[in-house]
Amino acid sequence: MVYYLQRLKDLREDEDLKQAYIARLLNTTQQQYSLYESGQRELPVRHLVTLADFYKVSADYILGRTNIKDFRK
């Protein structure tokens, strides 16, 4: 569980993006996204899929089930 929280933040920061930008992508508020990233709310599967597609990584990478970032490998 801890992996996905840190990976959400790391992926966003690696792209120099603000939480508000990702919130708009997910059609939610910055406050709600902040709760996902801090672990205070569970990230819905639909958002996990959207973020994996956006960052071009697998959902397994975000969830910490693999350390392979490039899902094509």
Side-chain angles (χ1 to χ4, degrees):
M1 184 77 114
V2 176
Y3 276 116
Y4 103 85
L5 301 175
Q6 189 60 49
R7 289 216 169 145
L8 285 176
K9 184 176 181 179
D10 289 346
L11 285 165
R12 178 179 57 78
E13 289 179 345
D14 287 349
E15 299 293 327
D16 294 321
L17 300 172
K18 303 284 186 195
Q19 286 182 343
Y21 182 89
I22 300 301
R24 283 191 301 274
L25 173 74
L26 300 176
N27 197 29
T28 191
T29 65
Q30 181 275 326
Q31 293 82 3
Q32 183 66 38
Y33 181 75
S34 177
L35 294 174
Y36 298 148
E37 207 172 88
S38 68
Q40 295 177 32
R41 296 272 185 190
E42 190 170 317
L43 183 70
V45 172
R46 70 182 185 278
H47 291 337
L48 174 64
V49 171
T50 299
L51 291 172
D53 289 346
F54 177 75
Y55 292 122
K56 295 180 177 64
V57 299
S58 69
D60 281 345
Y61 176 78
I62 294 174
L63 295 172
R65 294 173 45 102
T66 183
N67 288 324
I68 300 171
K69 197 171 186 177
D70 188 343
F71 68 93
R72 293 169 288 185
K73 290 185 180 179

